[in-house]
Amino acid sequence: MSANTSTAPYYFVPGPSKYPLLAGGALFLFGLGMSTWVNGYAPGPLAVLAGVVSFLAVLYFWFGEAIAESEGGLYGQRVDYSFRWSMGWFIFSEVMFFAAFFGALFYARAIAMPWLADIDHKSVLWPDFLPQWPHAGPGNGVEAFEKMGPFPIPTINTLLLLTSGVTLTISHHALIANDRAKTIFWLAATIVLGAVFMGFQVYEYMHAYQELNLKLSSGIYGSTFFLLTGFHGFHVTMGAIMLTVVLVRLMKGHFTAKQHFAFEGAAWYWHFVDVVWLGLYVVVYWM
Amino acid sequence: VENSPGGPAVNQLNLHPPVTQIAADIHGLHWMMLIICTVIFVLVFGVMFYSIFKHRRSKGAQSANFHESVTVEIIWTVIPFLIVIGMAIPATKTVVAMKDTSNADLTIKATGYQWKWGYDYLKGEGEGIGFLSALATPRNQIDAQSAEDVKARQENTNYLIEVDNPLVVPVGKKIRIVTTANDVIHAWMVPAFGVKQDAIPGFVRDTWFKAEKVGEYRGQCAELCGKDHAFMPIVVKVVSAEDYTKWVDAKKKELAAQADDPSKTYTVDELKARGEKVYNANCAACHQATGKGVAGAFPALDGDAVVLGEKAKQIDVLLNGQGNGKMPAWKQLNDVELAAVATYTRQAWGNAGKGKDPVVQPADFTAARK
Amino acid sequence: MTTTAMGHDDHGHDHAHDHPHGLKRWLTATNHKDIGTLYLWFSFVMLLVGGTLALLIRAELFQPGLQIVRPEVFNQLTTMHGLIMVFGAIMPAFVGFANWMIPLQIGASDMAFARMNNFSFWLLPPAASLLVISFFVPGGATAAGWTLYAPLSVQMGMGMDLGIFAMHIMGASSIMGSINIIVTILNMRAPGMTLMKMPMFCWTWLITAYLLIAVMPVLAGAITMVLTDRHFGTSFFNAAGGGDPVMYQHIFWFFGHPEVYIMILPAFGIVSHVVPAFARKQLFGYSSMVYATASIAILSFIVWAHHMFTTGMPVTGQLFFMYATMLIAVPTAVKIFNWLATMWRGSMTFETPMLFAVGFIFVFTMGGFTGLICAMAPIDIQIQDTYYVVAHFHYVLVAGSLFALYCGAYFWLPKWTGFMYNETRGKIHFWGSLISFNITFFPMHFLGLAGMPRRYADYPMQFADFNMLASIGAFGFGLMQVYFLFCVVLPAIKGGEKAPAKPWDGAEGLEWEVPSPAPFHTWETPPTVK
Ligand code: HEA
Ligand code: HEA
Ligand code: CUA
Ligand SMILES: [Cu+2]
């Protein structure tokens, strides 16, 4: 079925919904569970599980309803604009989230490191600190570890993500040309590339822990390395989930050549994740 | 109460009387700002209240209908801009002067601990002197359970701004204070000197002052540092050059007499007695005198696995801290003090006679430090 | 949902089933007015909760010595007072205003994403519950100050984690709320309403929303790093591992300074409606107001380290942040002068909204001036972390943001409830608040100059009198807010003189063209603006 916008209301306003309240409750469970879990209280993990599962369940129904509205032709041109603006600004807020972590890396390297090694710090606190990146701080509390270089995995991963950007664009063009089979094929290829990327990422973490002795607790280097790559990986996963939903919808026959914002939104997100990776690749692995 | 000499006056309305050039400059800047702001305030609100009284409907005012004037708007953008520049120029000079810590006569390190200050004379006359400086006001005045205590508090001019060992410095000399901290951020502040500098764990910062008048000057910790933030004051005694030399001699003798010998083997009772003092001075604030800790915040030592286990682990925790600084490192204590406190925790409360290694000797710490 | 109810020639009926009653109406609300009402009530309750904590603080500080709480509990009170007021009271209150007024003012039928709007709201009660629960866990609530400075925040107990997750959730709420507001304003204005014809309140909120989406994620990043430092062995803020506690402050204040303007820009918007309405004269310098607001917002990103003058920055850093901060006085001056010029040769009356607007301008300016004094790095060295700063920010937050909120509440209450509030009582509320506010916070300037540090559970004897005065004022101020609830708001909801569509003869804007109380659905066919 295709979205027919000619009958859409001037601006569609959904009726009352219980989902927001339920989702809020789920996040409450999640927050409470996480707080108790990290402090070692037994019911914590259970509450987290309950929170996450119920949150996902609510999202499932919520999005299901939204999709039905969309396919029911209720979303006119204006709603479509709204989605575009909102996705754009949402991605901007994500950029700022990553900026905090990139900022931390920048600060640690360009400001804190030379500071810790200046003459005052040498004479008063840290006589033998060498300001060389990577380091795990002057405190000697960290076991020796090795830096994660750009070869081979990160470079392979870069190629994977870049390719996935291309396949996604091919898919998009196919959708515009109304070639469904081609759209589905290339979108699936994109998701596969994303999954392979994640596989390599997991492998890289294992390599870090087992062979390089590089851990989350390996001082500031480990902290920034794992949080930056970890949050990126999390975002890749989210992007892949979005693309998968789009894929399923494509297979169900949703979207038209003209109106397919969900596809585009997910694609923007994917490109954003791509760009963040390029930043990581240069700043974390090469510099 | 009366005014506290060198501390706040009763119902003081302005900054402290300055004792350094910087503090005097700041005082001047503050007056300048007050005057400029008051003048602007009077002008602006003069106009507003004039309008409020004249242009009200009950007085028959009819509303005009102008609502734009580029000229006027440019004027009232440019004038504030100029005023602001006028304010910034003198402030810039003071900033530059404040930050110039070079050529000090005496360098002292001030270390913030939860909740006291440690002073080490690093360079200049008195080099090598080091001591702790903690609140001298008795706890019962603070908690004030009885009328007597309340009275004592009310009569205490220096309530909460008195310490056991004040910092002593010579008058008219440039003193450079290097700040750092052991656990969390504190701030070393003495208003009469115009000095306030955060003390940051793992980092050093510096500031300076040149006191122009002999006397005692008082300040308080000015960065939230946990529960006893309000109870770690700073007292600086500024003395004449001769008095300072005398103080240095006396202090050096006193320290030499107290010096511990880490190569000696101590008896259990010696260690326990000394350890209890060290414990109460350093550890009790968090782990409590009862060793029971504070649920959810500070672990109990009574029955603690590390305290009852092999001594090596406890030695490591004491020297290097634990949990990303939740338990700070205590390397600055000497080996005798550390051995004493370790022994004490192993013997106190319900721990007595339970764990492995009931006695820890200074030599263990000396070895572990290497 | 069926398409049959959606005949495009009959927009009025596309909500056939959506006027549920009772509790369900509120729990499942997608109507912007209902959600606005929820926000307003939530924030008012939070004001009382945060205020009660403030009163406990003031009770402890009534006289020297420790009487009511232990110092560790005192720090919890201070911290939670700050957090609850900022994230629970002031910010949601402005979002409530946005929800109610923006669609009405721009001629939109609702917010752009009605369900997400409800989600933004329903994240707040869970977050607030987490904060309240944290008082009762072992170790108590976080006591590291609302700024949650590491490494003190790393030292805290489980209350800190609850606080972190609560702030994550509130951050998500703010981001979704802002996106909603941005999209509504950009996409749903009535035909003919160009951006430069848009009401000032919408402009200030549009800019505020941009501030929010730019900085809330940064706060999320900062507290996430605290979380991993606490539990997962990272060393972002631990020097021994190569991190830096001061780095936390940079990241926090990169959020924190724009945050304080988030709490004042919509207030400027409200006042920019009320002053023209009661001066019966168009707002002077509309476009320069817009530019001034934008300048304040842009400048707010480059001044953050004025909170860090005592951390020991290099001279160049101190000077840069000092100059940039002082510069903000210029666009703010433009705003103040424009309001003055609006009043000038108007035909003024002084109903309660106007009283609060004038009170706002007067007292906020005092807070602005003390801000400027704080911005002078050398002076700030003396007064940073003293009660002078506490005085400064309560002048801008209580007499600024809160007064503006009251100003807007009186102004639009007739539109919300359909009834006029009692004018005499409104005036009592205003004068009582203004006077007791100044009794509470004016003496704090003296305390700060004399060197009384903030976040102190106990203080030297010399500070006793002013503290006592402040405490007395605080209880008076609290009483006035309870008076507002029971004697102004509740009666105006229950009944009273019926409000006409436009109760203020000088008011302008689309919101006055719909009846009072505003019907459930408004502007389903957008009006055309000339
Ligand atoms: C609504 C919130 C709000 C607002 C609007 C402001 C506005 C300003 N603030 Fe404030 N501030 C806070 C909330 C706010 N602040 C908070 C919460 C803190 C403490 C946080 C914490 O540590 O917990 C703080 C702390 C704070 C500090 C740090 C103090 C310290 O910790 O040592 C500084 C320093 O520069 C500062 C400066 C300013 C300045 C220059 C303005 C300017 O925007 C003011 C501009 C206004 C005017 C200047 C008046 C009107 C102008 C005229 C009438 C024109 C003519 C004037 C001239 C030409 C001079 N603020
Ligand atoms: C954002 C807005 C905001 C508001 C509105 C307020 C309102 C008030 N604040 Fe504020 N305050 C902050 C933000 C705010 N504060 C922040 C950010 C801090 C810094 C925190 C930190 O250092 O980390 C702070 C810190 C702070 C301190 C310093 C604490 C310290 O350093 O230790 C003090 C001390 O007096 C104080 C007092 C007050 C008072 C008396 C009010 C009054 O206006 C409150 C008025 C009272 C009421 C509105 C309550 C009325 C209720 C009742 C009377 C009970 C009735 C109950 C029922 C009906 C159920 N506040
Ligand atoms: Cu040390 Cu506050
Ligand atoms: Cu600021």
Side-chain angles (χ1 to χ4, degrees):
Chain A
M1 198 180 129
S2 62
N4 180 355
T5 54
S6 62
T7 57
Y10 180 78
Y11 195 96
F12 172 73
V13 179
S17 170
K18 57 186 177 303
Y19 299 129
L21 176 68
L22 294 175
L27 286 184
F28 173 73
L29 270 183
F30 173 77
L32 193 63
M34 280 300 283
S35 311
T36 40
W37 189 1
V38 292
N39 285 286
Y41 292 97
L46 281 179
V48 171
L49 190 71
V52 172
V53 169
S54 46
F55 186 65
L56 293 178
V58 174
L59 284 197
Y60 178 80
F61 289 111
W62 184 340
F63 281 114
E65 193 173 295
I67 291 169
E69 286 160 6
S70 167
E71 291 303 308
L74 298 179
Y75 292 176
Q77 193 62 48
R78 253 162 207 280
V79 179
D80 197 60
Y81 279 143
S82 287
F83 280 126
R84 279 160 204 280
W85 281 114
S86 65
M87 193 65 195
W89 291 113
F90 170 64
I91 290 176
F92 172 70
S93 77
E94 291 273 43
V95 169
M96 292 309 291
F97 181 72
F98 276 99
F101 291 94
F102 276 108
L105 176 61
F106 168 79
Y107 187 97
R109 291 184 62 164
I111 296 172
M113 184 171 78
W115 215 331
L116 280 168
D118 76 4
I119 182 73
D120 281 335
H121 289 75
K122 243 188 179 44
S123 60
V124 178
L125 285 174
W126 312 111
D128 0 87
F129 178 60
L130 280 180
Q132 248 167 22
W133 191 258
H135 67 84
N140 293 329
V142 176
E143 293 170 36
F145 63 87
E146 279 171 65
K147 181 180 171 22
M148 183 67 74
F151 297 112
I153 300 174
T155 306
I156 299 176
N157 267 348
T158 308
L159 294 175
L160 284 174
L161 274 194
L162 287 178
T163 319
S164 76
V166 176
T167 54
L168 187 56
T169 309
I170 299 176
S171 171
H172 191 195
H173 283 290
L175 181 56
I176 293 172
N178 225 344
D179 185 344
R180 243 180 221 249
K182 197 174 165 196
T183 311
I184 293 178
F185 174 80
W186 286 107
L187 183 59
T190 310
I191 297 171
V192 170
L193 287 169
V196 177
F197 172 93
M198 279 313 292
F200 272 118
Q201 188 79 20
V202 170
Y203 177 78
E204 182 188 83
Y205 277 13
M206 280 161 40
H207 170 64
Y209 264 77
Q210 285 158 7
E211 279 135 55
L212 304 183
N213 199 26
L214 173 60
K215 301 181 177 150
L216 198 49
S217 54
S218 297
I220 188 69
Y221 180 72
S223 312
T224 49
F225 175 80
F226 281 107
L227 258 73
L228 273 165
T229 54
F231 273 116
H232 176 262
F234 177 66
H235 283 77
V236 172
T237 313
M238 297 224 301
I241 293 174
M242 289 185 205
L243 291 179
T244 311
V245 173
V246 171
L247 182 69
V248 172
R249 290 185 61 188
L250 273 171
M251 295 201 284
K252 281 193 181 168
H254 292 188
F255 307 127
T256 65
K258 268 228 204 91
Q259 261 216 332
H260 47 258
F261 171 72
F263 185 106
E264 286 172 317
W268 294 350
Y269 196 79
W270 192 256
H271 290 310
F272 148 73
V273 171
D274 225 355
V275 172
V276 172
W277 174 261
L278 290 181
L280 281 180
Y281 182 59
V282 175
V283 177
V284 175
Y285 292 101
W286 277 99
M287 287 170 73
Chain B
V1 256
E2 297 150 36
N3 299 343
S4 158
V10 176
N11 298 343
Q12 181 179 328
L13 298 180
N14 200 344
L15 297 166
H16 286 247
V19 177
T20 64
Q21 186 53 45
I22 295 287
D25 290 351
I26 296 175
H27 214 86
L29 280 174
H30 182 242
W31 270 118
M32 174 193 88
M33 290 297 287
L34 262 187
I35 291 167
I36 298 179
C37 290
T38 313
V39 170
I40 301 176
F41 196 82
V42 169
L43 289 178
V44 170
F45 288 97
V47 173
M48 189 174 94
F49 282 109
Y50 176 83
S51 176
I52 285 179
F53 286 113
K54 289 284 170 191
H55 307 145
R56 47 167 72 210
R57 194 163 62 175
S58 53
K59 293 249 165 84
Q62 293 290 315
S63 56
N65 65 358
F66 60 88
H67 59 85
E68 207 120 41
S69 163
V70 178
T71 331
V72 173
E73 305 214 26
I74 289 179
I75 293 175
W76 69 39
T77 311
V78 171
I79 291 181
F81 185 66
L82 296 178
I83 297 178
V84 163
I85 292 179
M87 293 167 167
I89 293 170
T92 304
K93 291 196 189 118
T94 312
V95 170
V96 174
M98 284 168 80
K99 291 301 261 179
D100 179 16
T101 55
S102 58
N103 299 322
D105 300 305
L106 189 61
T107 302
I108 301 171
K109 180 173 77 160
T111 309
Y113 298 98
Q114 279 172 319
W115 290 273
K116 60 179 141 334
W117 290 94
Y119 297 113
D120 293 283
Y121 290 63
L122 297 184
K123 230 165 88 197
E125 192 182 357
E127 193 171 321
I129 293 178
F131 54 88
L132 290 173
S133 172
L135 179 72
T137 305
R139 275 279 159 179
N140 55 349
Q141 284 188 21
I142 298 171
D143 291 330
Q145 304 293 356
S146 68
E148 238 164 80
D149 291 337
V150 175
K151 191 153 172 284
R153 174 173 71 212
Q154 270 159 1
E155 282 162 5
N156 186 350
T157 317
N158 291 325
Y159 176 69
L160 297 188
I161 39 177
E162 49 191 348
V163 297
D164 49 5
N165 294 308
L167 180 66
V168 179
V169 297
V171 71
K173 290 272 163 60
K174 183 166 184 177
I175 317 288
R176 175 172 177 244
I177 298 285
V178 179
T179 64
T180 183
N182 191 48
D183 29 51
V184 299
I185 305 175
H186 304 261
W188 198 83
M189 140 172 115
V190 181
F193 299 165
V195 162
K196 180 183 292 144
Q197 177 58 56
D198 286 3
I200 297 154
F203 282 83
V204 297
R205 294 290 199 270
D206 61 358
T207 181
W208 69 279
F209 64 87
K210 192 192 236 170
E212 284 161 0
K213 249 175 35 208
V214 169
E216 274 190 302
Y217 302 99
R218 294 164 201 281
Q220 290 174 289
C221 176
E223 182 65 61
L224 178 60
C225 55
K227 81 177 164 67
D228 285 354
H229 168 49
F231 306 118
M232 50 182 294
I234 294 137
V235 178
V236 183
K237 211 164 158 176
V238 178
V239 297
S240 67
E242 306 87 76
D243 287 348
Y244 181 68
T245 311
K246 272 192 228 147
W247 176 81
V248 167
D249 289 343
K251 196 78 185 170
K252 284 210 158 144
K253 285 209 190 79
E254 183 193 324
L255 290 174
Q258 281 175 3
D260 290 312
D261 178 4
S263 55
K264 202 176 127 189
T265 303
Y266 292 80
T267 67
V268 184
D269 290 331
E270 277 170 339
L271 288 171
K272 263 169 67 184
R274 180 74 190 280
E276 181 165 9
K277 283 199 198 110
V278 178
Y279 183 86
N280 286 331
N282 298 294
C283 322
C286 297
H287 297 291
Q288 307 300 315
T290 56
K292 295 269 190 279
V294 176
F298 305 113
L301 298 183
D302 190 359
D304 179 67
V306 173
V307 176
L308 294 174
E310 311 254 336
K311 61 186 171 189
K313 175 70 186 159
Q314 190 183 15
I315 291 173
D316 177 53
V317 171
L318 285 171
L319 283 176
N320 300 317
Q322 199 177 19
N324 248 334
K326 276 192 203 178
M327 162 78 183
W330 292 97
K331 320 194 225 292
Q332 71 283 0
L333 298 181
N334 71 34
D335 293 344
V336 179
E337 288 167 322
L338 285 168
V341 80
T343 307
Y344 173 72
T345 56
R346 285 166 179 266
Q347 307 253 353
W349 322 297
N351 291 351
K354 268 198 203 145
K356 302 178 185 151
D357 301 335
V359 183
V360 184
Q361 288 292 346
D364 296 327
F365 278 92
T366 318
R369 273 190 209 262
K370 298 246 163 69
Chain C
M1 256 223 185
T2 55
T3 30
T4 49
M6 308 287 166
H8 74 286
D9 53 348
D10 191 5
H11 307 305
H13 295 111
D14 55 3
H15 308 276
H17 58 258
D18 62 355
H19 202 148
H21 292 275
L23 192 58
K24 205 158 165 228
R25 165 175 177 193
W26 302 106
L27 295 181
T28 63
T30 42
N31 180 286
H32 71 100
K33 303 180 188 83
D34 281 358
I35 296 176
T37 305
L38 284 170
Y39 264 110
L40 290 173
W41 275 114
F42 173 81
S43 60
F44 195 75
V45 170
M46 281 305 173
L47 178 76
L48 293 185
V49 173
T52 308
L53 299 179
L55 295 185
L56 282 170
I57 294 174
R58 287 313 328 167
E60 174 57 54
L61 295 179
F62 185 70
Q63 51 173 309
L66 295 177
Q67 287 87 16
I68 299 174
V69 291
R70 305 300 310 158
E72 56 272 30
V73 179
F74 181 88
N75 292 345
Q76 295 175 25
L77 294 177
T78 297
T79 305
M80 298 304 272
H81 162 68
L83 285 176
I84 288 179
M85 285 301 198
V86 169
F87 293 101
I90 302 293
M91 288 171 67
F94 281 123
V95 183
F97 273 79
N99 262 297
W100 251 104
M101 301 322 298
I102 289 176
L104 282 180
Q105 289 188 328
I106 63 173
S109 57
D110 205 305
M111 296 292 281
F113 301 105
R115 261 184 310 239
M116 186 168 88
N117 197 19
N118 189 24
F119 190 34
S120 301
F121 174 76
W122 279 111
L123 286 178
L124 294 179
S129 320
L130 290 178
L131 284 181
V132 172
I133 288 173
S134 75
F135 270 109
F136 303 99
V137 301
T142 170
W146 83 281
T147 49
L148 306 176
Y149 276 10
L152 186 60
S153 53
V154 176
Q155 242 186 20
M156 293 287 131
M158 182 173 146
M160 183 71 217
D161 302 305
L162 286 163
I164 289 176
F165 285 105
M167 302 207 4
H168 272 134
I169 295 176
M170 292 189 285
S173 159
S174 289
I175 291 171
M176 286 190 290
S178 318
I179 291 178
N180 224 332
I181 288 168
I182 292 175
V183 173
T184 307
I185 292 178
L186 293 183
N187 193 28
M188 297 179 67
R189 293 190 314 281
M193 183 180 278
T194 59
L195 280 177
M196 290 313 269
K197 281 189 191 159
M198 196 164 72
M200 269 313 285
F201 181 64
C202 300
W203 255 116
T204 52
W205 241 118
L206 179 65
I207 292 168
T208 304
Y210 278 115
L211 286 180
L212 274 166
I213 54 173
V215 300
M216 288 312 290
V218 176
L219 173 69
I223 56 180
T224 303
M225 290 183 231
V226 171
L227 186 77
T228 59
D229 265 20
R230 286 168 57 74
H231 296 292
F232 304 109
T234 57
S235 320
F236 287 105
F237 310 125
N238 175 3
D244 186 346
V246 176
M247 177 166 92
Y248 175 85
Q249 300 183 19
H250 281 290
I251 306 177
F252 179 86
W253 287 117
F254 183 83
F255 146 81
H257 187 80
E259 167 69 19
V260 307
Y261 290 125
I262 288 166
M263 294 187 279
I264 204 68
L265 294 184
F268 290 166
I270 292 175
V271 171
S272 302
H273 283 267
V274 172
V275 171
F278 293 91
R280 291 167 185 78
K281 189 160 153 282
Q282 201 180 333
L283 181 66
F284 188 88
Y286 172 91
S287 42
S288 67
M289 284 301 233
V290 173
Y291 300 136
T293 312
S295 317
I296 295 175
I298 293 166
L299 283 174
S300 76
F301 285 107
I302 54 163
V303 301
W304 74 88
H306 64 218
H307 296 273
M308 300 168 58
F309 284 138
T310 61
T311 55
M313 269 182 283
V315 186
T316 42
Q318 299 230 344
L319 292 177
F320 172 80
F321 285 109
M322 174 170 93
Y323 299 152
T325 306
M326 296 178 71
L327 218 52
I328 296 189
V330 177
T332 318
V334 170
K335 307 212 72 136
I336 305 270
F337 296 151
N338 278 333
W339 289 323
L340 273 189
T342 309
M343 291 191 215
W344 189 256
R345 296 193 39 219
S347 169
M348 278 185 275
T349 52
F350 292 89
E351 288 88 344
T352 313
M354 184 62 163
L355 286 179
F356 269 105
V358 172
F360 167 91
I361 298 173
F362 188 74
V363 194
F364 169 80
T365 301
M366 290 168 73
F369 282 142
T370 56
L372 210 57
I373 293 177
C374 289
M376 303 273 278
I379 305 180
D380 190 60
I381 297 290
Q382 283 284 34
I383 57 187
Q384 126 84 210
D385 254 311
T386 67
Y387 265 78
Y388 194 88
V389 176
V390 177
H392 156 64
F393 69 72
H394 284 93
Y395 265 79
V396 282
L397 277 171
V398 179
S401 313
L402 190 61
F403 273 25
L405 284 164
Y406 285 140
C407 166
Y410 281 102
F411 189 52
W412 284 308
L413 206 59
K415 184 58 57 189
W416 299 340
T417 67
F419 299 111
M420 296 306 288
Y421 60 88
N422 180 318
E423 195 61 60
T424 319
R425 292 179 178 180
K427 289 194 168 127
I428 294 176
H429 176 220
F430 169 73
W431 288 108
S433 296
L434 184 75
I435 292 167
S436 57
F437 166 81
N438 280 291
I439 297 177
T440 313
F441 294 104
F442 202 78
M444 292 188 189
H445 293 111
F446 301 135
L447 288 172
L449 288 171
M452 174 170 163
R454 61 193 279 208
R455 298 161 171 173
Y456 261 30
D458 194 6
Y459 49 83
M461 296 304 301
Q462 288 79 7
F463 300 134
D465 293 351
F466 284 139
N467 268 297
M468 190 175 284
L469 195 59
S471 294
I472 293 170
F475 278 88
F477 188 80
L479 207 65
M480 288 322 296
Q481 310 327 313
V482 178
Y483 177 82
F484 172 68
L485 172 62
F486 287 107
C487 300
V488 180
V489 180
L490 293 182
I493 291 174
K494 288 205 199 99
E497 188 194 329
K498 278 251 175 253
K502 185 171 153 187
W504 318 115
D505 58 328
E508 272 183 61
L510 290 177
E511 75 261 41
W512 306 112
E513 289 175 20
V514 301
S516 300
F520 199 66
H521 294 299
T522 39
W523 303 136
E524 280 168 299
T525 353
T528 307
V529 179
K530 291 167 297 298

